[in-house]
Amino acid sequence: MRKPGRAAVGAAVAIGVIGMLGALTGCSSDSDGDGGDGKGGKGGKGGSRSGGVEVAAAGGKLGGAGTACELPVRFDLAESWKPEAVKELKGVDPELGSTLVKQGPVTLVCEIDAKPAGHIGFLRVWTGDKGKAASGGEPRRLLKAFMAGEKHIRDARYTEAKAGDLPAAEVSYTLDDPSLDAPKPERALAVVTPRGGVVLHLGGLDTEEHKAMLPAYELAKRTMARAGG
């Protein structure tokens, strides 16, 4: 997935990314998994394992009031990961349209940078409250609507899952873009809350970085709950 690397990218770059996402073509397999990861329990200060995957130690919280990104959900952040809200850029010609990046029914609202923790990549949070992201919708339908905007993917595997106590849908897949040095794995999960839908996506520079960042993704997944709940 090629999304803007920082919240403060220029409007031209953001709009260029939107155009690229719309112009590229690709295909994905749509195999359904026969069992999700299940509920992994509650997070803690020390690292642990969930479903055979290491879970990072918690170093902060995100999503609630007063945090860097106020979201429909809240979850624990891995140590040293730095969140930043993605906001509309000011002073841009309105005729150029929004500088925010949208994919399917959701908009990129928060980037959590792994660089301070020694990795190259981001956890990205997308939210929306219309269409398949509306309250009362199904996580799988939201996730598939989001994935419809992904190009050059293969081996997509969808599963039912739990994000904390929330029903969720999850997908793991391979990004096989010709512009990359080699194919790489990515994954995403979706939940729907009374305040709308949320998609959490993990990419990474390459396969090694993706695997190294999975514990942070698993921590967010297992500690997720409705904000204010």
Side-chain angles (χ1 to χ4, degrees):
M1 173 179 288
R2 292 157 306 287
K3 310 295 187 305
R6 298 298 302 152
V9 295
V13 175
I15 295 169
V17 172
I18 297 171
M20 179 179 67
L21 290 172
L24 292 173
T25 58
C27 60
S28 70
S29 64
D30 188 21
S31 60
D32 288 338
D34 55 1
D37 289 343
K39 181 179 176 181
K42 304 299 181 183
K45 291 187 176 180
S48 61
R49 299 188 72 83
S50 174
V53 178
E54 184 180 352
V55 179
K61 296 184 181 296
L62 188 69
T67 62
C69 303
E70 295 188 16
L71 306 166
V73 296
R74 53 181 169 83
F75 52 84
D76 287 356
L77 289 175
E79 288 181 340
S80 300
W81 285 58
K82 183 179 179 180
E84 184 175 355
V86 178
K87 298 179 180 180
E88 190 85 56
L89 295 178
K90 297 180 180 179
V92 178
D93 186 343
E95 293 186 1
L96 295 177
S98 174
T99 62
L100 297 178
V101 178
K102 298 180 182 295
Q103 184 161 316
V106 290
T107 300
L108 179 63
V109 296
C110 189
E111 291 185 319
I112 310 166
D113 191 356
K115 189 177 296 182
H119 306 297
I120 304 175
F122 295 87
L123 267 173
R124 290 186 168 98
V125 186
W126 304 68
T127 64
D129 58 7
K130 301 283 192 301
K132 291 182 174 63
S135 175
E138 298 176 3
R140 182 180 286 255
R141 293 183 65 192
L142 168 58
L143 185 58
K144 287 191 173 183
F146 174 80
M147 289 299 296
E150 289 290 88
K151 309 301 178 185
H152 300 292
I153 68 171
R154 57 178 171 83
D155 305 326
R157 179 176 174 82
Y158 290 83
T159 59
E160 302 299 325
K162 282 279 192 179
D165 290 326
L166 301 176
E170 189 168 23
V171 62
S172 59
Y173 59 96
T174 299
L175 180 63
D176 196 2
D177 192 310
S179 67
L180 299 175
D181 291 336
K184 62 174 184 172
E186 298 195 348
R187 68 178 58 199
L189 69 83
V191 299
V192 180
T193 78
R195 291 169 52 191
V198 178
V199 174
L200 179 70
H201 179 271
L202 177 67
L205 178 66
D206 53 28
T207 297
E208 182 178 356
E209 289 291 349
H210 178 83
K211 290 180 178 179
M213 295 189 296
L214 273 177
Y217 171 92
E218 290 294 333
L219 174 67
K221 175 182 171 182
R222 73 183 294 184
T223 59
M224 191 173 290
R226 286 187 294 181

